[in-house]
Amino acid sequence: MATRRWVGELEAWMRRAGGSREDVARNSKHSTAHVLEMFEAPEPNPSLRLYLDVLAAAGARFPGIRDNTPKAVIERLAELRDQRGLKNSDLHRISGVPRQTISTLFNDTDPNPGLAMVDKLVEALEAHKEFGIVSVSDARSYFRTFVGGAGSVTTEAPSGSTRPPPSIHV
């Protein structure tokens, strides 16, 4: 997808939502100039945290991710890796990201990779649809895929639900 496309999709979202680069940059937790620089770069590579903070400032999020944090995104990538029956070494081979870097990323308690690395992993996992942009007020809270011997099950929880999710026994 390349990082320019990630930023381009964010800009398209902002146009549809009636926001501007300047408004979103001012509403983010980061330096306005730094955020605007991300939009201007030919091939931007902001940290995942910066990108997610700007995404949140635009009123958006990724579907299937419980919150706009790097940890939640990396956890989802790990779930997708496991769902596809891949190991870190397989992911290294198909993404070009060093195996040690992948291992560190998935074990880090507070990961914050560059958007280019996330893009390589999303491409390798063929998970483009998992990382589209939806409104933070989208009725879907998040999806979780559970992988087991009998296959996988995907659940969806509405954001207004007050009931706890059902237990799944494997």
Side-chain angles (χ1 to χ4, degrees):
M1 190 156 72
T3 58
R4 170 49 39 205
R5 185 166 169 201
W6 289 74
V7 173
E9 287 182 6
L10 173 57
E11 288 180 295
W13 165 265
M14 292 177 345
R15 280 191 300 276
R16 288 191 305 271
S20 69
R21 291 176 174 183
E22 292 76 16
D23 292 337
V24 170
R26 278 192 300 275
N27 292 332
S28 75
K29 299 184 261 184
H30 302 274
S31 156
T32 301
H34 186 59
V35 173
L36 291 174
E37 194 176 287
M38 175 186 79
F39 288 114
E40 296 297 329
E43 196 59 37
N45 189 22
S47 70
L48 180 57
R49 182 168 289 116
L50 173 63
Y51 182 81
L52 293 172
D53 287 347
V54 173
L55 192 66
R61 65 178 176 85
F62 291 134
I65 308 291
R66 65 179 155 74
D67 54 29
N68 272 354
T69 64
K71 181 71 174 169
V73 170
I74 300 307
E75 286 173 354
R76 185 63 182 143
L77 288 170
E79 288 173 359
L80 293 168
R81 176 203 59 201
D82 295 344
Q83 179 183 359
R84 286 157 175 75
L86 299 173
K87 298 177 185 172
N88 286 348
S89 57
D90 299 323
L91 199 50
H92 151 67
R93 186 177 37 76
I94 57 179
S95 71
V97 175
R99 190 196 56 74
Q100 184 60 38
T101 302
I102 292 172
S103 180
T104 300
L105 180 66
F106 288 134
N107 291 308
D108 194 339
T109 58
D110 188 26
N112 191 26
L115 192 57
M117 182 189 304
V118 173
D119 180 61
K120 287 179 183 181
L121 297 176
V122 168
E123 287 286 329
L125 293 167
E126 298 177 353
H128 310 99
K129 291 180 182 179
E130 297 279 338
F131 295 93
I133 297 175
V134 298
S135 170
V136 292
S137 61
D138 191 293
R140 294 168 294 166
S141 173
Y142 60 91
F143 292 92
R144 280 291 181 249
T145 303
F146 301 93
V147 180
S152 62
V153 177
T154 301
T155 62
E156 180 178 356
S159 59
S161 176
T162 57
R163 294 175 42 204
S167 299
I168 296 182
H169 301 281
V170 179

